[in-house]
């Protein structure tokens, strides 16, 4: 696992890949603007071949945001989806806050069958991240082949997300 | 019988369930089969797709190797009275379609397709989808066919390793061409080599789980040379006895995918009488 943070600019927050069982989150403080497009461009750079191999398991990209980018989001998204591995990646979005812009997050997912997950409190966010880093990783980590063209270049099937705590306390 | 026809080829191979497939309690979706005839050997490996839309791909892979070995064995019998140029022409122009049609026929028989079938042929074939790699080695010619991912390596006496059919640059991630595709024969690559002065001493056919277990292309190609050295030191039988264990370790430390590997070795220490 690796992580990018974005606000005023985009940076590798956890630059070196860490096995998921050893991953430790380094806390962030919300501030500044939302350079989501730059973050996607940063990720896209790492999905080129090389450094990515030609064959392998699809990466899982999880975008956690309020869906309100302040920079050129479309340019970043295009840079990502123009890449073979960008298209092949399993893309999941977690919408933070009740007023999150789901349309932007849906464009990132680029698959009408998958909807952004909503996290309106810390417990829901933890549940979603745990699901993405366990159940989703497990489903993409089973090697298989797909006949060229049969899947429309899309993603692997991912399991159904868990229901999340929706209590009234501590709502973002 | 001249010097070339006295060449003796032997085959060994193994397949293993991938480490991740073991954990998920999935069957091995790779298949391997060979036949050592009086004056030829034929070997085939296949990799069933194993994704959710190909639930019978383990069967599809088995049908692929069974069909290829039988077809190429018959082809060898018919080839005895034909000229090399006629054989080359047939191999390059008609063999791909014949092999694919043979697989489709076997799948339909297995699936029990009847007149009242409601599933489309495309959907049925997809359920059994598989790749296919095959080699036929005779005193007069070597024939290789590949449809889908996987690798065919040849190793010369001096250890030089060559990937016989270049990797398909269109295929990234887990995409492959397949026997189940419409007009699949157009995607089959065939190499026909009349026996010349310099023959490979070792031929390796493997499903993609093997190459995907190595960090780089040079690392993978090195296995061709390593197998040759091992066979020369220990003999093919010893290598065959350990192959399953080695492949299991390779999958566990590498791709986690099923692996099938077949080796055709030119034994220069004996000749057929």
């Amino acid at each position: 696992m690796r992580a990018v943070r974005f606000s005023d600019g985009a940076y590798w927050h956890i630059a070196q890949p860490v096995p998921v069982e050893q991953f430790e989150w380094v806390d962030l403080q919300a501030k500044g603007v939302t350079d989501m497009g730059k973050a996607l461009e940063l990720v896209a750079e790492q999905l080129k071949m090389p450094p990515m191999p030609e064959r392998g398991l699809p990466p899982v990209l999880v975008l956690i945001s309020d869906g309100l980018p302040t920079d050129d989001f479309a340019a970043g998204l295009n840079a990502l989806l123009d890449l073979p591995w960008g298209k092949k990646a399993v893309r999941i979005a977690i919408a933070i806050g009740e007023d999150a812009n789901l349309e932007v997050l849906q464009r990132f997912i680029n698959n009408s069958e998958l909807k952004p997950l909503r996290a309106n409190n810390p417990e829901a966010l933890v549940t979603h991240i745990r699901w993405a880093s366990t159940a989703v990783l497990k489903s993409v980590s089973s090697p298989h082949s797909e006949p060229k063209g049969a899947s429309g270049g899309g993603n692997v099937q991912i399991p159904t997300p868990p229901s999340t705590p929706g209590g009234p306390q501590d709502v973002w | 019988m001249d010097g070339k026809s006295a060449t003796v080829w032997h085959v060994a191979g193994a397949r293993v369930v991938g480490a991740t497939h073991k954990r998920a309690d999935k069957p091995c979706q790779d298949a391997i089969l060979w036949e050592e005839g009086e004056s030829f050997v034929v070997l085939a490996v296949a990799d069933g797709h194993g994704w959710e839309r190909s639930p019978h791909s383990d069967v599809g892979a088995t049908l692929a190797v069974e069909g290829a070995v039988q077809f190429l064995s018959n082809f060898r019998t018919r080839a005895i009275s034909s000229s090399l140029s006629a054989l080359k022409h047939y191999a390059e122009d008609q063999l791909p379609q014949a092999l694919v049609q043979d697989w489709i026929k076997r799948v339909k028989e297995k699936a029990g397709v009847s007149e009242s079938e409601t599933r489309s042929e495309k959907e049925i074939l997809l359920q059994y989808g598989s790749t296919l790699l095959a080699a036929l080695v005779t005193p007069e010619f070597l024939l290789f066919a590949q449809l889908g991912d996987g690798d065919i390596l040849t190793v010369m006496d001096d250890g030089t390793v060559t990937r016989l059919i270049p990797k398909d640059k269109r295929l990234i991630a887990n995409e492959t061409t397949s026997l189940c595709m419409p007009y699949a024969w157009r995607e089959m690559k065939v190499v026909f080599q009349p026996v010349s002065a310099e023959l490979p001493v070792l031929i390796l056919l493997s499903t993609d789980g093997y190459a995907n277990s190595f960090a780089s292309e040079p690392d993978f190609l090195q296995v061709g040379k390593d197998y040759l050295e091992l066979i020369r030191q220990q003999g093919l039988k010893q290598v065959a006895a350990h192959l399953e264990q080695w492949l299991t370790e390779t999958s566990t430390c590498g791709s986690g995918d099923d692996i099938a590997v077949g080796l055709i070795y030119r034994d220069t220490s004996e000749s057929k009488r």
Side-chain angles (χ1 to χ4, degrees):
Chain A
M1 285 182 74
R2 304 171 68 182
V4 167
R5 70 174 186 272
F6 53 98
S7 55
D8 297 324
Y11 308 90
W12 281 102
H13 184 55
I14 296 174
Q16 296 304 317
V18 180
V20 65
E21 62 275 11
Q22 296 168 20
F23 188 81
E24 287 185 27
W25 182 247
V26 180
D27 280 343
L28 284 173
Q29 282 199 327
K31 61 176 182 178
V33 294
T34 308
D35 284 340
M36 192 188 294
K38 286 192 178 70
L40 297 181
E41 285 175 11
L42 205 57
V43 172
E45 276 301 311
Q46 295 302 308
L47 292 184
K48 290 177 180 171
M49 296 183 289
M52 285 291 283
E54 290 171 10
R55 310 284 295 171
L57 300 171
V60 178
L61 304 180
V62 184
L63 175 61
I64 304 171
S65 170
D66 60 6
L68 299 167
T70 52
D71 66 347
D72 190 351
F73 163 72
L77 186 62
N78 290 340
L80 185 71
L81 296 182
D82 281 348
L83 296 170
W85 277 117
K87 287 194 197 80
K88 274 283 171 190
V90 173
R91 292 179 303 278
I92 293 166
I94 301 176
I96 301 292
E98 288 189 314
D99 55 352
N101 183 343
L102 299 183
E103 187 265 335
V104 163
L105 300 178
Q106 190 69 57
R107 283 170 65 194
F108 167 76
I109 295 172
N110 198 33
N111 177 351
S112 58
E113 291 176 14
L114 286 177
K115 301 297 174 194
L117 307 174
R118 304 204 67 143
N120 294 336
N121 54 55
E123 291 76 19
L125 180 58
V126 168
T127 301
H128 290 322
I129 291 176
R130 183 175 294 130
W131 169 76
S133 60
T134 53
V136 175
L137 277 188
K138 188 180 172 191
S139 72
V140 301
S141 298
S142 183
H144 67 273
S145 302
E146 294 172 10
K148 186 171 167 51
S151 66
N155 320 108
V156 297
Q157 281 196 341
I158 60 173
T160 309
S163 57
T164 51
Q169 314 91 332
D170 202 7
V171 172
W172 286 330
Chain B
M1 189 175 282
D2 60 21
K4 285 173 188 167
S5 60
T7 304
V8 177
W9 298 86
H10 290 303
V11 190
R15 62 167 190 159
V16 297
V17 185
T20 56
H21 289 173
K22 261 186 205 162
R23 282 197 291 275
D25 202 22
K26 288 184 176 176
C28 185
Q29 283 132 5
D30 285 7
I32 181 168
L33 189 68
W34 65 85
E35 182 182 337
E36 290 190 40
E38 183 63 26
S39 61
F40 71 94
V41 297
V42 57
L43 165 69
V45 300
D47 181 357
H49 300 326
W51 72 326
E52 60 273 8
R53 292 175 67 187
S54 302
H56 309 306
S57 64
D58 54 331
V59 178
T62 301
L63 295 175
V65 296
E66 287 174 353
V69 168
Q70 188 179 345
F71 195 93
L72 291 175
S73 176
N74 292 340
F75 173 71
R76 162 60 186 159
T77 306
R78 291 197 307 273
I80 289 172
S81 57
S82 303
S83 69
L84 283 177
S85 60
L87 291 173
K88 184 173 190 294
H89 187 262
Y90 174 84
E92 291 174 349
D93 285 0
Q94 296 176 48
L95 182 72
Q97 191 162 358
L99 282 171
V100 172
Q101 294 292 6
D102 180 82
W103 180 79
I104 290 173
K105 182 167 169 280
R106 286 169 188 266
V107 167
K108 284 182 173 176
E109 284 171 6
K110 194 74 180 178
V113 177
S114 64
E115 291 294 321
S116 59
E117 180 60 59
T118 54
R119 295 169 295 176
S120 70
E121 178 174 311
K122 188 179 171 186
E123 196 56 37
I124 293 166
L125 298 181
L126 183 58
Q127 290 180 354
Y128 288 79
S130 176
T131 65
L132 174 64
L133 295 85
L136 170 64
V137 177
T138 80
E140 299 85 25
F141 65 87
L142 280 60
L143 171 62
F144 304 92
Q146 176 168 352
L147 175 52
D149 54 27
D151 303 278
I152 301 177
L153 305 182
T154 56
V155 190
M156 307 308 285
D157 260 319
D158 64 358
T160 307
V161 182
T162 304
R163 178 189 292 280
L164 202 65
I165 295 171
K167 284 199 279 191
D168 190 335
K169 293 287 182 191
R170 298 170 304 166
L171 305 179
I172 69 123
N174 45 16
E175 275 191 339
T176 179
T177 50
S178 167
L179 284 164
C180 71
M181 296 170 71
Y183 308 105
W185 53 87
R186 293 177 184 168
E187 300 289 349
M188 186 178 285
K189 308 285 186 293
V190 171
V191 175
F192 183 93
Q193 294 181 337
V195 165
S196 60
E198 194 176 14
L199 280 169
V201 67
L202 181 68
I203 297 162
L204 182 148
L205 273 66
S206 61
T207 53
D208 74 329
Y210 202 33
N212 290 346
S213 294
F214 293 85
S216 67
E217 173 80 352
D219 286 351
F220 173 60
L221 295 181
Q222 178 66 32
V223 299
K225 194 174 177 182
D226 292 345
Y227 275 121
L228 179 57
E229 285 176 10
L230 279 168
I231 293 169
R232 283 175 167 162
Q233 288 165 11
Q234 304 177 13
L236 186 62
K237 279 186 182 167
Q238 273 296 320
V239 170
H242 290 102
L243 197 51
E244 201 171 312
Q245 179 198 336
W246 294 336
L247 297 183
T248 299
E249 289 167 4
T250 303
S251 175
T252 303
C253 300
S255 68
D257 198 0
D258 301 335
I259 298 176
V261 170
L263 303 165
I264 304 177
Y265 177 61
R266 179 165 58 88
D267 194 342
T268 51
S269 66
E270 59 174 310
S271 62
K272 284 191 175 173
R273 287 179 284 276

